[in-house]
Amino acid sequence: MKALNDFFLKKTILVGVYVHSEQTFYRVISVLKKKEDLEILSRYEFDNLQSLNEYLSSVKNLPVKIYIDGDITITRKGEYSPGYEQELLFNSNIEEYYSIEYIVESEVFLSFGRKKAIQTIVESIAVKDNLLGFYFGPLMVLPLAKALSINRQIYSSFYKLNFSEGKLLAIEKGVNDDFVYKIDEEKLSIYEIPLLGTYLYKPQITISLNYNSEEQQENFVYDKLYKKSIVIGAIFLLVVLLTGHLLLDFYSGVLRSAEVSYSQVNKNLEIENTLKKEKQDKIKIMEGSGVKINNFLTKYFLDLGNRKTKGLTINEINCFPLLNRIDDEDHKIKNDFSKIILKGNSSNEEALNSYMKAIEKLNWVNKLYLTSSFKENKQHNFIIELSL
């Protein structure tokens, strides 16, 4: 009953991971959404991963959001112009990084971190199918900027954000552990402010500083928990139907047993064994090719192409991209058979957001990431990574 109560009351667990000077510590906030009110139910602090995972195992039926900050993330400011991501990433390979950006007029603030480092942290946390998303960097405080009612500066874990008349001017390193914020009757530390911001943040290309609680603080729809309940109900129904069908076949078989000859049964068994062997041979051939049995390239192309929205163009669909460069003829080619990369452009942000929502609903898509987005010649160029 407790799991059902948590589900209907829209309770969410927010997990903060903070990496500083080779030390990692954790903060956890349990929040409850009641119409327009957001209530903090409990807070926890952990200094090791084992203690955190033991706590999460006790609330394994609840949705979780993860926030990461510290030495593995970098935030920089630059001019919002074509190629700004490449410049702010020190001319590194963009596809190796996750990034979150905030655009202010002709300037852009970009938080980024290596995919491998962030994925390692996320995969170490025992959340499995309950993960709603992971976020990083000081830009997560922006949804709370207006609620904090601070015009000059906001401390966010390891950073200090400087404002002037509500406009973000700069982000610099700065820690003030003693600083405490107060929103209504709640007191929040500098580590809890960005963590709570992840609850209000919606994935998008840019973040609007003029936060409107009525428009953006919508109820979370727990898709994964809802799907899980549907699957459990479907399995239960199938078990009941299958059990009834097997019992019916059993008693019908008893009544017909006198009429069925041994030779006919033996012939049917031979046909069945032949078909099973053919099926196993085909499975081995497909497994040897590296292609997932239930996923076919034709279906990928059709699903991704048919969901294209007006104002959006797909320029490239890279199925199973190379994991390594081919430097010589003897170098073995390795592909990532769990990934598809889409590249294209859109005339407006709405078209891109609509397309991402459409492909995210495909049942063969495990996870979706917007790994790159920049505007060039009035077109939004983007790179989307799909995990199968």
Side-chain angles (χ1 to χ4, degrees):
M1 291 299 294
K2 182 179 182 300
L4 289 176
N5 289 336
D6 291 336
F7 174 78
F8 286 109
L9 290 176
K10 297 180 173 60
K11 184 178 178 182
T12 304
I13 304 298
L14 308 177
V15 178
V17 183
Y18 307 91
V19 183
H20 184 58
S21 300
E22 299 184 357
Q23 298 293 324
T24 303
F25 57 95
Y26 308 88
R27 297 286 188 272
V28 175
I29 299 178
S30 173
V31 297
L32 182 65
K33 183 70 179 293
K34 294 180 178 179
K35 295 183 179 179
E36 293 300 320
D37 295 327
L38 184 63
E39 179 183 353
I40 296 179
L41 300 178
S42 57
R43 295 182 169 106
Y44 302 94
E45 297 183 8
F46 303 101
D47 57 6
N48 63 79
L49 181 62
Q50 181 179 353
S51 299
L52 171 66
N53 284 336
E54 287 176 356
Y55 165 76
L56 292 174
S57 66
S58 67
V59 291
K60 59 184 178 180
N61 293 320
L62 297 178
V64 176
K65 282 192 171 188
I66 297 175
Y67 171 72
I68 303 169
D69 204 0
D71 297 342
I72 65 170
T73 65
I74 299 175
T75 299
R76 301 190 69 197
K77 173 185 176 182
E79 181 182 352
Y80 184 52
S81 59
Y84 71 91
E85 277 189 323
Q86 194 75 46
E87 180 180 348
L88 294 178
L89 287 173
F90 312 105
N91 293 320
S92 301
N93 184 1
I94 296 177
E95 295 185 1
E96 294 180 0
Y97 293 85
Y98 291 123
S99 63
I100 297 176
E101 65 182 22
Y102 170 60
I103 300 171
V104 184
E105 298 175 355
S106 61
E107 296 178 326
V108 62
F109 294 87
L110 183 70
S111 291
F112 55 92
R114 286 191 176 275
K115 290 183 179 180
K116 185 176 181 180
I118 292 176
Q119 287 175 349
T120 299
I121 291 176
V122 173
E123 291 170 0
S124 69
I125 299 175
V127 292
K128 295 183 179 179
D129 297 332
N130 296 332
L131 181 63
L132 292 180
F134 59 86
Y135 312 86
F136 55 90
L139 294 175
M140 287 298 102
V141 304
L142 294 178
L144 285 172
K146 188 174 181 180
L148 294 173
S149 299
I150 295 177
N151 295 322
R152 301 186 65 181
Q153 63 185 25
I154 298 176
Y155 285 98
S156 170
S157 52
F158 307 108
Y159 294 89
K160 181 173 69 173
L161 289 76
N162 296 320
F163 293 82
S164 176
E165 297 180 355
K167 177 183 177 182
L168 180 61
L169 298 180
I171 299 178
E172 57 189 38
K173 286 280 188 178
V175 180
N176 188 346
D177 288 329
D178 298 327
F179 203 94
V180 176
Y181 292 96
K182 187 174 182 180
I183 301 179
D184 295 331
E185 299 302 320
E186 293 290 346
K187 293 182 179 180
L188 301 168
S189 72
I190 62 173
Y191 301 105
E192 293 172 326
I193 286 294
L195 183 56
L196 191 60
T198 63
Y199 184 89
L200 305 176
Y201 174 68
K202 299 285 187 176
Q204 50 193 358
I205 296 175
T206 58
I207 306 170
S208 173
L209 189 59
N210 297 321
Y211 175 71
N212 186 316
S213 61
E214 292 184 357
E215 295 179 359
Q216 297 189 27
Q217 292 190 50
E218 300 173 353
N219 292 336
F220 275 92
V221 180
Y222 301 112
D223 292 331
K224 293 187 177 181
L225 293 179
Y226 178 75
K227 292 177 181 177
K228 187 181 293 186
S229 65
I230 294 297
V231 170
I232 293 174
I235 291 175
F236 176 79
L237 180 60
L238 287 174
V239 169
V240 172
L241 293 174
L242 181 60
T243 302
H245 180 70
L246 292 175
L247 288 174
L248 178 62
D249 283 351
F250 173 77
Y251 288 113
S252 298
V254 171
L255 295 175
R256 296 195 307 267
S257 59
E259 301 174 4
V260 178
S261 65
Y262 175 79
S263 60
Q264 184 63 42
V265 172
N266 189 51
K267 182 178 179 181
N268 290 340
L269 288 175
E270 290 178 356
I271 294 174
E272 183 179 354
N273 291 334
T274 300
L275 293 174
K276 286 182 178 179
K277 187 176 183 304
E278 290 179 358
K279 179 181 179 181
Q280 292 300 321
D281 291 339
K282 291 177 180 178
I283 290 175
K284 289 179 179 179
I285 292 172
M286 296 187 75
E287 288 178 341
S289 69
V291 179
K292 290 188 176 182
I293 296 173
N294 294 328
N295 299 325
F296 300 92
L297 291 177
T298 301
K299 178 174 177 57
Y300 295 159
F301 287 125
L302 285 175
D303 284 351
L304 294 174
N306 288 338
R307 282 158 180 80
K308 187 177 72 66
T309 57
K310 185 177 181 181
L312 182 139
T313 302
I314 301 299
N315 299 324
E316 179 181 330
I317 301 179
N318 187 358
C319 289
F320 315 142
L322 293 175
L323 285 172
N324 59 323
R325 296 183 178 180
I326 309 304
D327 299 322
D328 54 71
E329 294 181 357
D330 298 328
H331 200 94
K332 186 176 180 180
I333 298 175
K334 294 182 179 180
N335 295 81
D336 188 345
F337 291 102
S338 65
K339 185 185 297 182
I340 293 178
I341 297 176
L342 299 176
K343 295 182 180 180
N345 56 70
S346 64
S347 58
N348 55 77
E349 297 176 9
E350 289 76 14
L352 176 58
N353 290 336
S354 176
Y355 182 62
M356 291 179 63
K357 290 179 181 178
I359 61 176
E360 191 174 20
K361 294 179 181 179
L362 295 171
N363 57 11
W364 52 266
V365 174
N366 185 17
K367 293 181 180 179
L368 179 149
Y369 309 103
L370 179 63
T371 61
S372 177
S373 173
F374 63 91
K375 191 172 182 181
E376 183 177 6
N377 296 329
K378 298 183 179 180
Q379 289 287 322
H380 291 274
N381 297 319
F382 62 85
I383 299 176
I384 299 174
E385 181 179 306
L386 304 178
S387 176
L388 306 181

